[in-house]
């Protein structure tokens, strides 16, 4: 464990067990959706992971989803540099095209202010997918039960966590710690290890 990490919130084995459950549940739901879809609706499942934070989660999740699917990534930045607070979300690049008539699952690491998922969701809905779901590994319960800047309907949540800045399993501080196998809280005053 990195010396700048203060404590582990969710260890690797717990994440693995939950991601396995989520994969099975999501796959079953998408399979049912495809079965029920009117014949000839174009069908097809497309997962849209939000880079960069979702890469570890989606890599593990899809290996528990034994169904035919495509991936179409979208890059969004909301915490430029060393910020620990959402500054609003900006798309870097393009939303995957051709989502019309598809069963789409947006995958992200964490729901915090809701701005990132809100933005991606709106842009995907413009393409008129056959269905749209959202899966996040983590959902922050904001301090004092405060409302999110943007309320987003999330279908699958791995873990609810307190309102703390976390790193690991894809989540970063200043670009670092994504490779930590657990979800952890940084020691206060940590500098991200960067030069
Ligand atoms: P939102 O737009 O405020 O909901 O933030 C969502 C994005 O901000 C996520 O996709 C993460 O990349 C990032 N983020 C939010 N909270 C944290 C955190 O505690 N640690 C690291 N990244 C975070
Ligand atoms: Mg992110």
């Amino acid at each position: 464990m990195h010396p700048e990490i203060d404590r582990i919130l969710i260890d690797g084995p717990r994440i693995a067990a939950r991601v396995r459950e989520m994969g099975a549940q999501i796959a079953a739901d998408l399979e049912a959706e495809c079965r029920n879809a009117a014949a000839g609706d174009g069908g097809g499942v497309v997962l849209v992971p939000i880079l960069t934070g979702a890469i570890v989660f989606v890599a593990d999740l899809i290996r528990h989803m034994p169904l035919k699917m495509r991936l179409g990534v979208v890059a969004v930045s909301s915490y430029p540099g060393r910020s620990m607070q959402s500054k609003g979300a900006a798309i870097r690049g393009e939303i995957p095209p051709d989502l019309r008539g598809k069963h789409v699952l947006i995958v992200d690491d964490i729901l915090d202010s809701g701005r990132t998922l809100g933005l991606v969701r709106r842009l995907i809905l413009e393409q008129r997918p056959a269905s749209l779901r959202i899966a996040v590994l983590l959902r922050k319960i904001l301090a004092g039960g405060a409302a999110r800047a943007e309320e987003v309907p999330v279908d699958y949540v791995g873990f609810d966590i307190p309102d703390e800045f976390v790193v690991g399993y894809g989540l970063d501080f200043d670009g670092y710690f994504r490779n930590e196998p657990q979800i952890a809280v940084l020691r206060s005053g940590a500098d991200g290890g960067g030069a």
Side-chain angles (χ1 to χ4, degrees), residues 50-53 76 78 108-109:
I50 301 181
L51 301 181
T52 305
V76 176
S78 51
D108 205 3
D109 48 3

Coordinates of all heavy atoms in Angstrom, one line a residue, residues 50-53 76 78 108-109, ligand 2:
I50 N -16.9 5.7 -18.9 CA -16.4 7.1 -18.9 C -14.9 7.1 -18.4 O -14.6 6.7 -17.3 CB -17.3 7.9 -17.9 CG1 -18.8 7.9 -18.4 CG2 -16.8 9.4 -17.9 CD1 -19.7 8.7 -17.6
L51 N -14.1 7.5 -19.4 CA -12.7 7.5 -19.1 C -12.3 8.7 -18.2 O -13.0 9.7 -18.4 CB -11.9 7.6 -20.4 CG -12.1 6.4 -21.4 CD1 -11.2 6.6 -22.6 CD2 -11.8 5.1 -20.7
T52 N -11.3 8.7 -17.4 CA -10.4 7.6 -17.3 C -10.8 6.7 -16.1 O -10.4 5.5 -16.0 CB -8.9 8.1 -17.1 OG1 -8.6 8.9 -18.2 CG2 -7.9 7.0 -17.0
G53 N -11.6 7.3 -15.2 CA -11.9 6.6 -13.9 C -12.5 5.2 -14.0 O -12.3 4.4 -13.1
V76 N -14.3 12.1 -20.2 CA -14.9 13.3 -19.6 C -13.9 13.7 -18.5 O -13.4 12.9 -17.8 CB -16.2 13.0 -18.9 CG1 -16.7 14.2 -18.2 CG2 -17.2 12.6 -19.9
S78 N -13.5 16.1 -15.1 CA -14.3 16.9 -14.2 C -13.4 17.4 -13.0 O -13.8 18.3 -12.3 CB -15.5 16.2 -13.7 OG -15.1 14.9 -13.2
D108 N -19.5 4.2 -14.8 CA -18.6 5.2 -14.3 C -18.1 4.7 -12.9 O -18.7 3.8 -12.3 CB -19.2 6.6 -14.2 CG -18.1 7.6 -14.2 OD1 -16.9 7.3 -14.3 OD2 -18.4 8.8 -14.1
D109 N -17.0 5.3 -12.5 CA -16.4 4.9 -11.2 C -17.2 5.4 -10.0 O -17.5 4.6 -9.1 CB -15.0 5.4 -11.1 CG -14.8 6.9 -11.4 OD1 -15.8 7.5 -11.7 OD2 -13.7 7.4 -11.4
Ligands
LIG2 MG1 -14.3 10.0 -14.0

